[in-house]
Amino acid sequence: MHPKPRGELAIMLTGGGARAAYQVGLLRGIANHFPDLDFRIVTGVSAGAINAIFLAAREGSLRQRVDDLAAMWGELQCHHIFRPNFAALLPFRASLASILPKKMRRRPHGFFNAAPLAALLREVFSTPNRGQAIDGIKRNLSNGSLQAVALMTLDYSTGQAVRWVQGRRLDDYEGPNHRTAHDDLTVEHVLASSALPFVFPAVRIGERWYGDGSIRLAAPLSPAVHLGASRVLAMSTGYQRTPDEAATPVVSGYPPAAQLLGQLVNAIFLDVIDEDVARMQRLNDMLLKMPPQERDGFKPIELCVLRPSRDLGKLASQYEKYLPRQMKLFTRALGADETDVPDFLSLLMFEPNYLRNLIEIGEEDVEMRLDELRAFFSDEGASAATA
């Protein structure tokens, strides 16, 4: 008797700025061992949205797509992603407006201008025009290698979390603080999903302005489940500290701005996925104890979570010396050199040596968990949720 198929496989890619290079390493390690694996449901948020759309839009085997993605990330530098908005840091701008150059009089919308990233993505996805749909997604949906792709954003005008979906329509779960929108995805959707407030400007889609989807995303695993996934591979960029590590101070005296921003970043990008994983595991345990006919349509979701074996924020401090002088001035002004774990710095660490190291760590982490991954991807029987 042939084993019963275990259902649709989805991948969920979380945020973390430059730390999303770690996801590329995970993908590369997986592609080395499972070169023809298909993720037919792809979801992403924040920097993970870039990797998600790359997977959804490129053609070829998983290995081919990931090799192209790794080549792009391995060469990234700060100037490929953003340029500083020094006007945003200038005190008393209003009183100085008459003497400022004309281009600096306009109110800045973030510490950094994301125009370089927009130009890079337009080149990668062959979409030179604003609002132009990414054709690669349409082709993969048409040939059946992709069932659905979803990106998460925050609608600044309403405060709602918005799930942008292209592909299948299954469970469009709506609520007062979240909604689903079906649309052909564009570079603007990717930029909006990764637009960290105050750091990067909001992005206009239609008549509204959107920002980073992690901000109000209480259940990052839910988009994949609502799109019909039975198995979800979640890739986090957050290191899970031991109790001793968690209780050890990483800064002395009054916390600098970089430390405060780092805690905010962790709360937005990292803590939520851990809470959602714990919630899903508890729900799975409850459902497995119930007879199928009493589950009221609910089903256990097989879950595998991959996360760094090393603290990627702490690692970033070793590469700060390679940043452009302007970036070093900015990060040091925030006090990034006063903390042992500069998580905020790691978001902006688009430096080739750091990014390549993260890719290598991701590949190594796959090797350490290869047996679990073989069981998770196999169609023979069900595996327990692992984190």
Side-chain angles (χ1 to χ4, degrees), residues 367-379:
E367 295 298 322
M368 289 191 294
R369 299 184 60 180
L370 193 54
D371 288 342
E372 294 175 42
L373 289 167
R374 285 197 178 104
F376 183 73
F377 294 139
S378 170
D379 280 333

Side-chain angles (χ1 to χ4, degrees), residues 342-363:
D343 286 315
F344 182 72
L345 174 64
S346 69
L347 286 181
L348 305 174
M349 185 60 73
F350 289 94
E351 195 286 318
N353 294 299
Y354 179 65
L355 300 178
R356 291 170 192 160
N357 194 352
L358 298 197
I359 293 173
E360 291 173 1
I361 293 171
E363 291 184 81

